[in-house]
C-alpha cells in the first residue's frame, strides 16, 4: 500500500499511466498499431507517425513548461508558429522551378530569430511592464496571424524547393523523420541546462516566491524575460517543422490551438499552472500522450471538429486527479472500505 | 470543557502526544510553549480544523468531536485568529452578521442588523459607527469586532490566538478589559500568547506544552516567571542570564559609511559609520524607518539623495544582487513573504544566495551543494529530517536559521538582520543572539541588528542608533545602552 502510494504520487505516474492506457487500447482497437516496416531505407508505422507529430508538441511544451514555472503562461505560441512558417517560406519563395531565393539554413535561422523577437516582446510586456502574462501574450496571439498574413501578403505560399520538406519529413537515407532528431536535440539541450546550470532552481524560485527571490539576489525580471524568449524560440522551431510538413506557409491554420495542447501537456506532466516546481520530463511524456490520443481518435474516425470534446474530457480528468480535495475523497473512501473489510 | 489524551500525528512528526487540557467556565487559561510545541495543533484539533488521532473532547460533560470550524462553533467553541479574518470592505455590522443575517419578508433586515450590532459592541464598551466599513477602524478595534462576532454565536469557549501581536500597549489594555468582561459573564477563554507579561496580567491558569507533550497545568499566580520559562524551553534559565553583554567594540576600520541618505517616505538625512566587527542596533518603533534604512543599505530600495561609501569609494546599489557583490547581506523581516522559498528544499534555500551571487551559468555542483548545506545545518543546529525536506515544513525558528545560513554562505562583511528573532521561541532566540556576537568577534563581521525587543538589543549591540519618525534621533554607545535610555530616546525624551 505504502509502495503503491509512492508510485502514484510520482509526477511521472499520471502521464505514463495515461500513455500506457492509450497504447493498450490501441493494441486491441487499431490493428497493426505497433507494426513498424522498413521500406526504402525508411521506417514506417503508426508509432513513427505519432512521434513525428509529437515532436512539435514536445518542443512547444518544453518552452511552455519554463514559462508556466515562473507563474506565467504563453498563449501566443500557436500564432508564433504561423509567423515562423511565413517568414521561412517567404524567404525561400514559392518558385515553381524548385529553386530557393535564400539558402535554407539562413531562412530557418532568420525565422527562428524573428520568433525570438516575438518572445522578447512577450518578455518585455510581462517582466518590464508587469502586464499579466495571459493578457500580454494574448496580444501576440491575436496579432500574430495578422503579422504572418502581412509577411505572406495574404496568400498561402507553397514551397517547391525540395530540401525544405526534409525538416518535417526525412533526410535522404535517414530511417527516422528529422523532427524526431530535432526534438531529441532540444530535449538534450534542456537536460543539459537542468543539470549543469542553475536555470531550473532560479525559475522555480521566481515561480514560488518572486519577492524573496529578488531579495536573495536573483534578477527576477531577467529570468522571466528569458523564459518568454525561450518559448518564442521553441515556437519558431516548431513552426519550421509544421510548415515543412505541408511545404507551405498557412498563416490561418498553422499551429492553430497548439498552445492549448502545449499547456495541456505541461499540466498532464504534473507541473502546476500556478507555477513553482516544474517537471520537463513530465511535459515531454505529456506531449507524446496528447499526440497519441489525437492520432488514436482520428484513427477511430472522430472528426477534427469533435476532437476538442475528447480533449476537454481529458482536461477534466487531469484537474480531478490533481485536486487535493478529490484525492482526499478517494483516500477517505479507500480507508472506509479497508475498515469495513476489517 | 476538557480534552483528554489528545494525540495527533503528521507524517513523520508526532505533533501531540496524550495532551490533556481543562478549561473551566469563567477562567482565562493561557496556553504556552515554544514554536512547534503543539499549541496551534491543539487549537486546530479543538476547532475541528484537524481531526484527532486519539483522545476525547467533552463539553459540559458531553463528548463532542467537531469535524469543521462551523461544527465547533455550533458546539459553542469560537476562535479569533491572529490575523483578523473578516472582510475589510464590508461594514462592521455586516461582518458581525455575515452568513446569519436576520431576515424580514425574505429580505435582509438591515435595521435590525445595525441595531443589534451596535448593542453588541456596546456591551464590549465599544461605541463605533457600525455602518462604516471595517477597514476604517484600527486593527485593535477590528480584533474586538471579531471577538464580538465570535461571542455572539452563543459561545461557551472563546479561543484567542495571539490576539495582541499587532496591538500597541493601550489597545492591548482595551482588549484585556473586554476579555475580563467576558470572563465575568462566565465564558471560558483560551489565551495563546508569546508575551509572558500579558499572561501574568490576564490569566488564571496556564498549560505548558513542549515538543507535543503536556508539561503541566499551573496556577499563574503561584508560578514564578523564571520557572515558567524553564518549563517552556526545558532547560534552566541560567543559560540565558549568563550570556551577559557584548563587550566587543569592533575595529577602527570603517566598513561602510552613509552620508545624508534620504528617500521619500523612508528616511531623511541618515548618517552612519559602521566599523568592521561591530554590532550596530537600529532601535525604534515599527515604521520609524528601521527596516526602510536597512533596505537602502542593501539595495532593495535606492536612496534619492546622499551617498554610500565603502572603503573610501562611492557605491550605488541598483539591486540586492549589487549589494551582495559588495558583500552585504540583508536577512529580511517577514520570513514567509520575503525570506523563504517555501516549495524548495532546505538545501536549495541555503545555497540559492551563493548561487545567485555566482550567476546562473556558474553552477555549484550537487556534491558541493550538499556539503555546504550539511555544514551549515550542523553549524546552526537546524532541525531537519534531511536537507531535502521542504523548508515550509520547518518550524519558524528553523526556517529563520536556514535563511541566516543562506546569508552566511555568501560570506558577507556586513550582515543586516531585521527582526531575526520575531515569532520564534526563547531557546532559538538566545542561540541567534549568541551567534551574532560570535560572528562579530571571531570573523570580524559587521552586523546591523534590528529588533523590537530592547533587551535583546542591549545585550547584543555595542552601538545603538535610535530612529523616530523616519529620522535618526540618537546614537548610544557603551554605558548608555540600557533599556531606560533607549526607551526615553525612542519616546523623544533625550
Amino acid at each position: 500500500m505504502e509502495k503503491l502510494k509512492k508510485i502514484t504520487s510520482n509526477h511521472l505516474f499520471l502521464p505514463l499511466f495515461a500513455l500506457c492506457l492509450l497504447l493498450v487500447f490501441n493494441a486491441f482497437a487499431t490493428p497493426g498499431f505497433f507494426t513498424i516496416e522498413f521500406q526504402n531505407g525508411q521506417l514506417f508505422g503508426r508509432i513513427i507517425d505519432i512521434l513525428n507529430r509529437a515532436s512539435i508538441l514536445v518542443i512547444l511544451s518544453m518552452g511552455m513548461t519554463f514559462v508556466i514555472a515562473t507563474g506565467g503562461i504563453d498563449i501566443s505560441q500557436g500564432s508564433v508558429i504561423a509567423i515562423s512558417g511565413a517568414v521561412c517560406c517567404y524567404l525561400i519563395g514559392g518558385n515553381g522551378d524548385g529553386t530557393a531565393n535564400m539558402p535554407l539554413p539562413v531562412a530557418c535561422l532568420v525565422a527562428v530569430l524573428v520568433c525570438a523577437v516575438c518572445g522578447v516582446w512577450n518578455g518585455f510586456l510581462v517582466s518590464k511592464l508587469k502586464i499579466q502574462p495571459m493578457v500580454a501574450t494574448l496580444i501576440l496571439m491575436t496579432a500574430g496571424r495578422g503579422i504572418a498574413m502581412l509577411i505572406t501578403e495574404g496568400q498561402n505560399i507553397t514551397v517547391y524547393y525540395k530540401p525544405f520538406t526534409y525538416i518535417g519529413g526525412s533526410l535522404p537515407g535517414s530511417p527516422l523523420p528529422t523532427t524526431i532528431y530535432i526534438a531529441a536535440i532540444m530535449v538534450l539541450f534542456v537536460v543539459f541546462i537542468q543539470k549543469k546550470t542553475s536555470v531550473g532552481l532560479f525559475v522555480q524560485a521566481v515561480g514560488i516566491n518572486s519577492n524573496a527571490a529578488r531579495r536573495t539576489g536573483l534578477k527576477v525580471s531577467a529570468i522571466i524575460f528569458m523564459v518568454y524568449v525561450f518559448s518564442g524560440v521553441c515556437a519558431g522551431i516548431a513552426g519550421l517543422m509544421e510548415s515543412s510538413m505541408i511545404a507551405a506557409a498557412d498563416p490561418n491554420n498553422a499551429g492553430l490551438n497548439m498552445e492549448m495542447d502545449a499547456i495541456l501537456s505541461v499540466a498532464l506532466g504534473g507541473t502546476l499552472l500556478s507555477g513553482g516546481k516544474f517537471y520537463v520530463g513530465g511535459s515531454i511524456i505529456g506531449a507524446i500522450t496528447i499526440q497519441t490520443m489525437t492520432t488514436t481518435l482520428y484513427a477511430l474516425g472522430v472528426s477534427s471538429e469533435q476532437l476538442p470534446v475528447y480533449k476537454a474530457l481529458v482536461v477534466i480528468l487531469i484537474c480531478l486527479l490533481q485536486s487535493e480535495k478529490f484525492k482526499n475523497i478517494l483516500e477517505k473512501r479507500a480507508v472506509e472500505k479497508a475498515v469495513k473489510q476489517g | 470543557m476538557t480534552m483528554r489524551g489528545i494525540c495527533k500525528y503528521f507524517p513523520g512528526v508526532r505533533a501531540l502526544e496524550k495532551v490533556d487540557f481543562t478549561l473551566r467556565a469563567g477562567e482565562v487559561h493561557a496556553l504556552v510553549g515554544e514554536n512547534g510545541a503543539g499549541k496551534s495543533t491543539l487549537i486546530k484539533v479543538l476547532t475541528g480544523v484537524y481531526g484527532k488521532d486519539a483522545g476525547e473532547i467533552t463539553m459540559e460533560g458531553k463528548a463532542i468531536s467537531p469535524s469543521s470550524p462551523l461544527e465547533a462553533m455550533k458546539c459553542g467553541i469560537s476562535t479569533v485568529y491572529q490575523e483578523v479574518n473578516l472582510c475589510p470592505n464590508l461594514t462592521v455590522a455586516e461582518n458581525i452578521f455575515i452568513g446569519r443575517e436576520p431576515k424580514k419578508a425574505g429580505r435582509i433586515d438591515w435595521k435590525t442588523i445595525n441595531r443589534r450590532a451596535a448593542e453588541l459592541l456596546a456591551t464590549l464598551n465599544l461605541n463605533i459607527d457600525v455602518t462604516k466599513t471595517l477597514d476604517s477602524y484600527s486593527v485593535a478595534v477590528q480584533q474586538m469586532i471579531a471577538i464580538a462576532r465570535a461571542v455572539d454565536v452563543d459561545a461557551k469557549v472563546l479561543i484567542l490566538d495571539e490576539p495582541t501581536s499587532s496591538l500597541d500597549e493601550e489597545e492591548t489594555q482595551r482588549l484585556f478589559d473586554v476579555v475580563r468582561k467576558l470572563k465575568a459573564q462566565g465564558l471560558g477563554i483560551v489565551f495563546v500568547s508569546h508575551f509572558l507579561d500579558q499572561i501574568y496580567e490576564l490569566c488564571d491558569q496556564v498549560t505548558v506544552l513542549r515538543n507535543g507533550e503536556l508539561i503541566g497545568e499551573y496556577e499563574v499566580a503561584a508560578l514564578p516567571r523564571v520557572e515558567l520559562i524553564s518549563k517552556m524551553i526545558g532547560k534552566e534559565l541560567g543559560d540565558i542570564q549568563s550570556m551577559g553583554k557584548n563587550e566587543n567594540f569592533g575595529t577602527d576600520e570603517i566598513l561602510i559609511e552613509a552620508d545624508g541618505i534620504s528617500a521619500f517616505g523612508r528616511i531623511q538625512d541618515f548618517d552612519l559609520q559602521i566599523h568592521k566587527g561591530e554590532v550596530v542596533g537600529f532601535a525604534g518603533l515599527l515604521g520609524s524607518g528601521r527596516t526602510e534604512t536597512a533596505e537602502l543599505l542593501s539595495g532593495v530600495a535606492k536612496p534619492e539623495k546622499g551617498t554610500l561609501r565603502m572603503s573610501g569609494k562611492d557605491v550605488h546599489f541598483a539591486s540586492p544582487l549589487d549589494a551582495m557583490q559588495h558583500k552585504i547581506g540583508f536577512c529580511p523581516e517577514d520570513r514567509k513573504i520575503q525570506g523563504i522559498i517555501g516549495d524548495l528544499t532546505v538545501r536549495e534555500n541555503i545555497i540559492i544566495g551563493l548561487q545567485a551571487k555566482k550567476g546562473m551559468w556558474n553552477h555549484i555542483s550537487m556534491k558541493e551543494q550538499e556539503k555546504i548545506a550539511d555544514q551549515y545545518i550542523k553549524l546552526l543546529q537546524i532541525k531537519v529530517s534531511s536537507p531535502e525536506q521542504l523548508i515550509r515544513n520547518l518550524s519558524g525558528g528553523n526556517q529563520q536559521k536556514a535563511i541566516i545560513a543562506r546569508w552566511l554562505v555568501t560570506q558577507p562583511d556586513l550582515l543586516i538582520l531585521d527582526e531575526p528573532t520575531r515569532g520564534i521561541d526563547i531557546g532559538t532566540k538566545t542561540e541567534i543572539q549568541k551567534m551574532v556576537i560570535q560572528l562579530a568577534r571571531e570573523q570580524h563581521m559587521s552586523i546591523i541588528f534590528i529588533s523590537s525587543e530592547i533587551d535583546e538589543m542591549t545585550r547584543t549591540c555595542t552601538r545603538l542608533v535610535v530612529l523616530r519618525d523616519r529620522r535618526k534621533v540618537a546614537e548610544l554607545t557603551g554605558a548608555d545602552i540600557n533599556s531606560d535610555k533607549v526607551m526615553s530616546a525612542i519616546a523623544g525624551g533625550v
Side-chain angles (χ1 to χ4, degrees):
Chain A
M1 193 68 200
E2 255 325 276
K3 218 171 179 182
L4 188 75
K5 206 168 173 187
K6 213 169 179 183
I7 295 170
T8 53
S9 62
N10 187 310
H11 62 269
L12 281 181
F13 171 75
L14 188 60
L16 275 177
F17 181 70
L19 186 58
C20 290
L21 219 61
L22 277 168
L23 292 180
V24 169
F25 175 80
N26 272 308
F28 293 104
T30 323
F33 184 81
F34 290 100
T35 331
I36 294 175
E37 284 172 1
F38 196 68
Q39 289 175 351
N40 307 329
Q42 278 197 17
L43 292 168
F44 286 97
R46 230 179 251 283
I47 298 280
I48 306 289
D49 281 349
I50 290 174
L51 286 178
N52 184 16
R53 291 289 315 172
S55 296
I56 297 177
L57 198 52
V58 165
I59 292 173
L60 278 184
S61 69
M62 284 193 298
M64 188 67 86
T65 307
F66 284 96
V67 172
I68 285 178
T70 62
I73 201 155
D74 182 0
I75 54 171
S76 70
Q77 276 188 341
S79 297
V80 175
I81 286 179
I83 293 177
S84 168
V87 171
C88 191
C89 293
Y90 173 76
L91 290 178
I92 291 171
N95 305 343
D97 55 359
T99 56
N101 294 341
M102 192 178 272
L104 181 63
V106 178
C108 291
L109 198 68
V110 172
V112 173
L113 276 179
V114 168
C115 294
V117 172
C118 293
V120 167
W121 164 255
N122 284 334
F124 171 74
L125 292 181
V126 177
S127 72
K128 297 282 178 232
L129 301 188
K130 314 269 177 222
I131 297 175
Q132 281 175 19
M134 181 78 89
V135 179
T137 55
L138 181 68
I139 298 172
L140 198 56
M141 184 198 183
T142 43
R145 294 194 184 276
I147 295 171
M149 202 78 92
L150 281 178
I151 294 169
T152 65
E153 288 156 359
Q155 317 263 310
N156 288 9
I157 302 177
T158 306
V159 175
Y160 300 100
Y161 179 57
K162 188 89 193 351
F164 180 61
T165 59
Y166 295 161
I167 303 170
S170 304
L171 282 167
S174 156
L176 284 173
T178 319
T179 49
I180 296 180
Y181 296 122
I182 298 175
I185 291 169
M186 290 297 287
V187 170
L188 286 179
F189 172 73
V190 169
V191 169
F192 173 80
I193 291 280
Q194 285 272 79
K195 292 265 177 226
K196 294 289 168 197
T197 73
S198 302
V199 172
L201 178 67
F202 286 11
V203 165
Q204 289 183 11
V206 169
I208 296 165
N209 187 344
S210 66
N211 187 341
R214 184 176 114 80
R215 283 168 181 269
T216 311
L218 300 193
K219 295 175 190 156
V220 172
S221 52
I223 291 166
I224 293 177
F225 184 80
M226 197 182 69
V227 297
Y228 283 93
V229 176
F230 181 64
S231 173
V233 170
C234 286
I237 295 171
L240 293 179
M241 289 152 77
E242 175 105 359
S243 69
S244 165
M245 280 181 185
I246 55 169
D250 182 355
N252 282 319
N253 297 312
L256 196 62
N257 295 335
M258 282 288 267
E259 64 278 346
M260 295 303 154
D261 279 357
I263 294 168
L264 194 53
S265 309
V266 174
L268 188 61
T271 303
L272 293 181
L273 294 187
S274 48
K277 287 261 170 199
F278 69 92
Y279 309 98
V280 179
S283 302
I284 293 168
I285 296 173
I288 296 173
T289 308
I290 302 283
Q291 189 57 50
T292 309
M293 187 179 74
T294 310
T295 308
T296 307
L297 289 171
Y298 278 139
L300 290 175
V302 174
S303 74
S304 61
E305 285 81 27
Q306 290 170 327
L307 203 61
V309 179
Y310 293 91
K311 281 189 184 158
L313 289 176
V314 176
V315 175
I316 293 171
L317 207 67
I318 296 172
C319 294
L320 277 179
L321 289 173
Q322 284 187 346
S323 126
E324 284 297 320
K325 199 102 199 176
F326 186 72
K327 272 188 203 157
N328 288 344
I329 293 172
L330 282 188
E331 260 168 42
K332 236 183 198 165
R333 281 261 171 95
V335 169
E336 273 167 19
K337 215 172 170 187
V339 168
K340 259 184 205 160
Q341 286 168 350
Chain B
M1 189 222 41
T2 60
M3 297 174 90
R4 285 272 162 271
I6 302 292
C7 300
K8 174 74 197 171
Y9 308 100
F10 293 114
V13 190
R14 189 196 58 180
L16 290 175
E17 181 71 39
K18 297 206 180 95
V19 173
D20 301 336
F21 185 76
T22 311
L23 182 69
R24 287 155 282 264
E27 148 185 297
V28 182
H29 196 134
L31 185 60
V32 299
E34 292 193 291
N35 277 63
K39 289 171 303 192
S40 1
T41 314
L42 188 69
I43 298 290
K44 282 179 180 161
V45 168
L46 182 58
T47 53
V49 178
Y50 295 150
K52 56 188 183 302
D53 292 325
E56 57 167 12
I57 307 173
T58 55
M59 181 89 165
E60 297 175 330
K62 272 182 294 201
I64 55 168
S65 65
S67 64
S68 72
L70 187 68
E71 241 174 83
M73 215 187 278
K74 281 183 188 149
C75 298
I77 301 169
S78 279
T79 316
V80 176
Y81 292 99
Q82 193 169 358
E83 294 91 18
V84 180
N85 48 352
L86 299 174
C87 311
N89 53 337
L90 296 184
T91 70
V92 172
E94 282 168 332
N95 264 298
I96 293 177
F97 285 98
I98 191 165
R100 51 191 184 94
E101 302 86 353
K103 298 215 172 112
K104 202 158 89 183
R107 297 177 51 171
I108 294 172
D109 182 2
W110 291 109
K111 254 192 192 156
T112 313
I113 287 183
N114 291 337
R115 183 177 47 79
R116 275 184 46 198
E119 281 170 10
L120 185 64
L121 291 174
T123 63
L124 302 179
N125 294 336
L126 201 59
N127 295 309
I128 56 172
D129 185 354
V130 295
T131 57
K132 277 199 179 160
T133 57
L134 187 74
D135 56 8
S136 48
Y137 294 104
S138 70
V139 179
V141 172
Q142 292 184 19
Q143 198 111 39
M144 284 185 233
I145 292 166
I147 293 175
R149 175 180 159 80
V151 174
D152 191 50
V153 291
D154 243 352
K156 298 182 193 107
V157 173
L158 177 65
I159 300 167
L160 301 174
D161 190 1
E162 297 268 1
T164 57
S165 56
S166 44
L167 304 188
D168 68 22
E169 189 55 30
E170 201 191 311
E171 294 169 329
T172 305
Q173 284 310 326
R174 276 180 81 179
L175 178 80
F176 282 7
D177 288 340
V178 169
V179 172
R180 289 196 189 98
K181 203 160 175 182
L182 292 172
K183 174 186 158 185
Q185 288 170 14
L187 252 77
I189 295 160
V190 182
F191 186 78
V192 182
S193 180
H194 269 118
F195 299 105
L196 297 184
D197 288 348
Q198 298 180 356
I199 289 167
Y200 276 90
E201 191 182 338
L202 187 71
C203 302
D204 309 307
Q205 293 290 117
V206 57
T207 291
V208 182
L209 297 180
R210 188 169 75 227
N211 287 333
E213 283 176 56
L214 177 71
I215 299 302
E217 188 191 330
Y218 311 93
E219 203 172 313
V220 172
L223 184 73
R225 196 174 286 224
V226 181
E227 233 168 275
L228 175 61
I229 293 173
S230 76
K231 282 192 195 324
M232 280 165 66
I233 63 175
K235 51 186 161 192
E236 292 307 313
L237 203 69
D239 201 28
I240 300 173
Q241 284 168 338
S242 72
M243 206 178 93
K245 279 183 75 142
N246 181 7
E247 301 288 352
N248 182 48
F249 288 89
T251 61
D252 289 336
E253 195 183 331
I254 292 173
L255 177 71
I256 184 167
E257 199 176 355
D259 191 3
I261 53 169
S262 310
F264 181 74
R266 292 176 170 271
I267 192 80
Q268 290 303 314
D269 298 324
F270 184 81
D271 300 329
L272 180 69
Q273 287 182 345
I274 296 174
H275 299 89
K276 233 174 154 47
E278 84 174 327
V279 182
V280 180
F282 283 6
L285 299 173
L286 206 68
S288 62
R290 318 178 295 199
T291 302
E292 291 80 354
T293 307
E295 285 179 346
L296 291 183
L297 294 177
S298 64
V300 175
K302 278 179 245 178
E304 290 156 4
K305 266 193 334 209
T307 49
L308 277 177
R309 267 191 299 277
M310 288 185 87
S311 45
K313 268 182 257 157
D314 282 11
V315 286
H316 301 278
F317 302 143
S319 69
L321 184 61
D322 268 358
M324 284 163 75
Q325 303 294 13
H326 285 89
K327 293 186 154 257
I328 294 176
F330 176 38
C331 185
E333 182 179 14
D334 194 321
R335 194 164 50 232
K336 249 196 194 135
I337 296 171
Q338 304 167 338
I340 66 164
I341 300 170
D343 278 336
L344 292 185
T345 66
V346 175
R347 166 181 58 81
E348 288 168 323
N349 267 285
I350 289 177
I351 61 101
I352 194 167
L354 181 62
Q355 184 70 71
K357 206 173 154 185
K358 286 186 132 184
M360 191 185 289
W361 311 108
N362 192 357
H363 190 57
I364 306 170
S365 74
M366 194 51 148
K367 226 167 137 193
E368 186 71 10
Q369 290 188 15
E370 278 164 358
K371 212 180 95 196
I372 294 171
D374 282 343
Q375 183 193 343
Y376 279 87
I377 286 171
K378 233 178 254 151
L379 185 72
L380 298 184
Q381 295 169 356
I382 307 173
K383 284 189 201 108
V384 291
S385 57
S386 124
E388 301 304 312
Q389 194 180 2
L390 295 187
I391 196 168
R392 68 183 153 95
N393 295 338
L394 299 186
S395 73
N398 284 314
Q399 288 181 353
Q400 185 68 58
K401 283 188 194 171
I403 300 301
I404 294 178
R406 176 194 291 171
W407 289 108
L408 292 182
V409 172
T410 65
Q411 298 185 319
D413 287 338
L414 173 64
L415 180 62
I416 305 173
L417 298 171
D418 195 354
E419 295 275 9
T421 61
R422 177 189 286 175
I424 64 180
D425 55 74
I426 296 172
T428 315
K429 269 184 186 173
T430 327
E431 271 176 55
I432 289 179
Q433 292 168 26
K434 273 186 186 159
M435 185 195 73
V436 165
I437 297 173
Q438 214 176 353
L439 284 171
R441 192 172 52 220
E442 286 166 13
Q443 300 183 18
H444 300 294
M445 196 183 280
S446 308
I447 289 162
I448 296 179
F449 193 89
I450 304 176
S451 173
S452 296
E453 289 180 41
I454 292 168
D455 286 352
E456 203 171 88
M457 305 264 272
T458 57
R459 267 202 299 270
T460 45
C461 304
T462 46
R463 201 142 57 94
L464 259 185
V465 174
V466 182
L467 297 155
R468 176 162 27 93
D469 297 337
R470 309 193 183 284
R471 266 171 206 285
K472 176 170 158 183
V473 292
E475 199 172 312
L476 307 174
T477 46
D480 280 348
I481 299 185
N482 59 54
S483 305
D484 295 344
K485 276 261 165 69
V486 179
M487 295 260 230
S488 62
I490 290 174
V494 178

